[in-house]
Amino acid sequence: MTPHESWGRYPKSQAARILELAWASDVPDLNRLPHPVLPYGKGRSYGDCCLNDGGILLDASGLDRFILFDPETGLLRCEAGVTLKTILELILPANWFLPVTPGTQFVTVGGAIANDVHGKNHHRAGSFGCHLERFELLRSDRGRVLCSREGNRDLFEATIGGLGLTGLILWAEFQLKRISGPLIDCEKLRFETLEEFFELSATSDKDYEYTVAWLDCMSTGNKRNRGIFLRGNHSVTSGQNSTRRRTAPTLPGFYTPGSLINRPTVRAFNWLYLHSQLHQSTDSTIHFEKFFYPLDRIAGWNRFYGKRGFLQYQFLVPYERREGVTEILDLIAMSREVCSLTVLKVFGTTQSPGLLSFPRPGVTLALDFPFRGESTLILCEQFDQVVQKHGGAVYPAKDARMSSKSFETYFPRWREFSNFVDPCFESDFWRRVATPRPLSQ
Ligand SMILES: Cc1cc2nc3c(=O)[nH]c(=O)nc-3n(C[C@H](O)[C@H](O)[C@H](O)COP(=O)(O)OP(=O)(O)OC[C@H]3O[C@@H](n4cnc5c(N)ncnc54)[C@H](O)[C@@H]3O)c2cc1C
């Protein structure tokens, strides 16, 4: 059995009980359970929004059945524990694709809704919640509630990006995207400065459905902030024969006690990555898994960070305040922390229906750091000051440490949201950012 922890493995948290659900009817009367409860998908959230220390986790990954798939219209209805990987196995042969996908396919539909996940096509398609038609929610106070834009719209909007706090999603229905086959025509372009990145992004977003960049922020001098810009479109060649089924190599079932991620290993990796890209053809047609899910190729890669785990800090600042990105990169350069992964993307203007959703117009940067204690936390607090100065926000799905004051600044509608929180539901994240409980208590 996989442990019920978060992907970053920080903070440590121990649920008092795990209820593994196989059928919706397995859920006991939520009012009779002794502890606060929280749904759990596949634990691919980096921080503590999927954790419930001392409480009960409702493991929804066993709710994994398809209910409806119309290959003519691309409408899909499935239980909330179905993973994006399983969906792709069903829909790809019929030439359909996910409307939005994050950088891993090992997430559940329930988790994708609760964090209102985004992908490389945010500038075109918005977030996952933009494509939802309806879902059914199980609440302790109202039982089963059907939510859509037409009915129970307020609960529909609160649940999208609602961090699992508005009830247990039992199933969801959403619209897929028509494609010709599993291949992606993609191009990689090297840039030397952030200005070049912004130029590339502005010119590419019109013609490319998917754009994202990797940044080498551990180099020094004028090499700092160089990177690789990746852009792509679904290929019109069908490529149906290129079924690429390679099982991801898995790390042995133990954790490295110390972190393998340190300044020399990250610098060496970045150098190798940057130079290996130069020797590859910049134009290629590749399998979608290679394009969307490069990290899924090493199962359990989070264990490289050792027992203490790691933090991801993903923030966004409005485009016209993009100097905030440079300021944060400057803070990293001045610190002794090791930034092992840096992913940069310009979001579009499509607004999510989600009341508490993170995605909004602007520039987003995701940064990974091995957790080294106080010094890592202090650096993140310095980042918070920059993000707040520029009117930005930090992504709760990746967060394990933001203060309640920061949360209120990033999500000004949080009080309105708190009215929709199920009275029996709580998470480690929610206890941290919304204590003392507002309004109703
Ligand atoms: C390698 C990697 C790459 C990633 N890339 C991206 C990215 O590009 N974009 C992005 O947005 N995110 C990204 N993520 C984060 C990930 O997509 C989200 O954290 C996602 O929500 C995880 O889904 P999960 O099924 O594992 O849910 P969990 O992490 O287990 O839970 C997430 C939240 O969903 C709630 N939840 C789960 N199931 C239900 C349910 N049935 N009903 C109600 N609430 C529920 C939980 O309570 C929790 O609050 C990435 C993560 C990894 C590990």
Side-chain angles (χ1 to χ4, degrees):
M1 197 179 79
T2 50
H4 288 75
E5 55 187 16
S6 69
W7 193 245
R9 303 181 49 246
Y10 171 85
K12 304 296 175 210
S13 173
Q14 184 74 55
R17 220 170 122 192
I18 314 284
L19 281 180
E20 305 214 349
L21 310 173
W23 300 93
S25 55
D26 286 350
V27 189
D29 181 349
L30 296 170
N31 294 294
R32 287 173 181 265
L33 292 173
H35 298 283
V37 300
L38 182 75
Y40 185 92
K42 286 283 180 186
R44 255 46 182 201
S45 298
Y46 284 70
D48 56 0
C49 74
C50 61
L51 302 177
N52 190 11
D53 198 28
I56 294 179
L57 285 176
L58 302 173
D59 183 336
S61 61
L63 304 176
D64 57 359
R65 281 157 290 258
F66 289 103
I67 301 168
L68 174 152
F69 170 48
D70 184 338
E72 294 302 315
T73 63
L75 193 69
L76 181 91
R77 190 189 305 160
C78 64
E79 289 185 325
V82 175
T83 62
L84 301 189
K85 182 170 175 55
T86 317
I87 294 177
L88 285 165
E89 282 163 9
L90 173 79
I91 65 174
L92 238 122
N95 289 342
W96 291 97
F97 198 71
L98 296 162
V100 166
T101 177
T104 172
Q105 50 186 331
F106 299 117
V107 309
T108 63
V109 167
I113 298 171
N115 275 323
D116 195 14
V117 299
H118 57 268
K120 297 178 177 63
N121 62 349
H122 185 275
H123 59 286
R124 286 278 182 89
S127 56
F128 195 82
C130 298
H131 306 271
L132 273 173
E133 297 290 336
R134 73 196 81 228
F135 52 78
E136 192 178 35
L137 202 60
L138 179 68
R139 285 183 60 98
S140 67
D141 52 357
R142 291 172 62 181
R144 290 180 174 217
V145 190
L146 189 62
C147 303
S148 68
R149 285 179 182 78
E150 291 76 39
N152 296 305
R153 185 177 182 135
D154 50 359
L155 205 44
F156 180 76
E157 293 176 349
T159 301
I160 297 172
L163 304 169
L165 296 163
T166 62
L168 174 72
I169 302 165
L170 295 174
W171 57 262
E173 186 177 288
F174 53 97
Q175 181 60 46
L176 302 168
K177 178 189 160 54
R178 185 50 104 188
I179 52 161
S180 303
L183 301 179
I184 302 285
D185 292 328
C186 78
E187 200 179 347
K188 284 175 186 159
L189 302 153
R190 185 163 160 171
F191 59 89
E192 299 300 326
T193 62
L194 279 181
E195 289 70 33
E196 276 179 39
F197 160 78
F198 286 118
E199 269 173 47
L200 271 173
S201 203
T203 50
S204 304
D205 281 0
K206 284 193 284 293
D207 297 325
Y208 292 86
E209 188 163 357
Y210 301 103
T211 60
V212 74
W214 169 84
L215 209 66
D216 174 16
C217 76
M218 292 305 284
S219 286
T220 48
N222 60 3
K223 291 183 179 150
R224 197 155 68 85
N225 301 341
R226 61 190 176 172
I228 308 240
F229 189 87
L230 181 66
R231 58 191 189 186
N233 285 316
H234 288 280
S235 180
V236 288
T237 52
S238 78
Q240 284 299 3
N241 296 333
S242 71
T243 40
R244 188 175 160 279
R245 291 263 177 274
R246 196 151 19 106
T247 316
T250 314
L251 285 185
F254 56 83
Y255 295 112
T256 56
S259 172
L260 300 177
I261 313 290
N262 52 45
R263 203 165 277 268
T265 56
V266 171
R267 280 213 176 122
F269 172 84
N270 286 0
W271 189 89
L272 277 173
Y273 183 67
L274 204 71
H275 289 80
S276 70
Q277 299 307 314
L278 285 182
H279 298 126
Q280 284 179 15
S281 150
T282 58
D283 276 327
S284 52
T285 299
I286 60 173
H287 192 267
F288 78 93
E289 283 184 336
K290 199 171 171 195
F291 182 80
F292 289 107
Y293 312 117
L295 288 171
D296 285 353
R297 293 162 86 189
I298 305 173
W301 58 263
N302 56 342
R303 298 178 199 176
F304 282 140
Y305 287 87
K307 278 204 161 77
R308 295 183 87 180
F310 72 109
L311 289 183
Q312 183 168 110
Y313 188 93
Q314 182 172 355
F315 71 96
L316 174 142
V317 285
Y319 191 78
E320 56 284 6
R321 305 294 296 269
R322 56 192 180 281
E323 69 268 24
V325 172
T326 314
E327 289 171 29
I328 291 216
L329 291 168
D330 287 346
L331 284 172
I332 297 171
M334 285 184 299
S335 82
R336 298 184 63 79
E337 299 302 303
V338 177
C339 183
S340 48
L341 189 76
T342 316
V343 179
L344 189 58
K345 157 121 194 101
V346 176
F347 276 176
T349 52
T350 308
Q351 213 187 329
S352 168
L355 184 54
L356 212 66
S357 282
F358 165 72
R360 57 199 82 179
V363 188
T364 186
L365 179 65
L367 306 157
D368 284 1
F369 297 95
F371 181 63
R372 304 201 311 181
E374 205 51 26
S375 61
T376 319
L377 296 173
I378 289 171
L379 182 64
C380 292
E381 275 161 32
Q382 292 172 348
F383 293 164
D384 280 340
Q385 286 167 21
V386 175
V387 175
Q388 282 165 31
K389 183 176 78 180
H390 293 290
V394 170
Y395 190 10
K398 313 283 181 78
D399 178 71
R401 33 68 48 197
M402 78 167 82
S403 68
S404 57
K405 186 179 155 291
S406 297
F407 177 69
E408 289 171 23
T409 315
Y410 301 144
F411 299 94
R413 295 178 74 190
W414 76 280
R415 274 191 185 278
E416 193 185 334
F417 168 78
S418 64
N419 291 321
F420 296 99
V421 174
D422 186 297
C424 289
F425 282 46
E426 270 181 20
S427 65
D428 288 2
F429 176 86
W430 191 242
R431 279 189 284 274
R432 176 159 49 81
V433 302
T435 307
R437 298 294 290 274
L439 297 180
S440 52
Q441 289 180 26

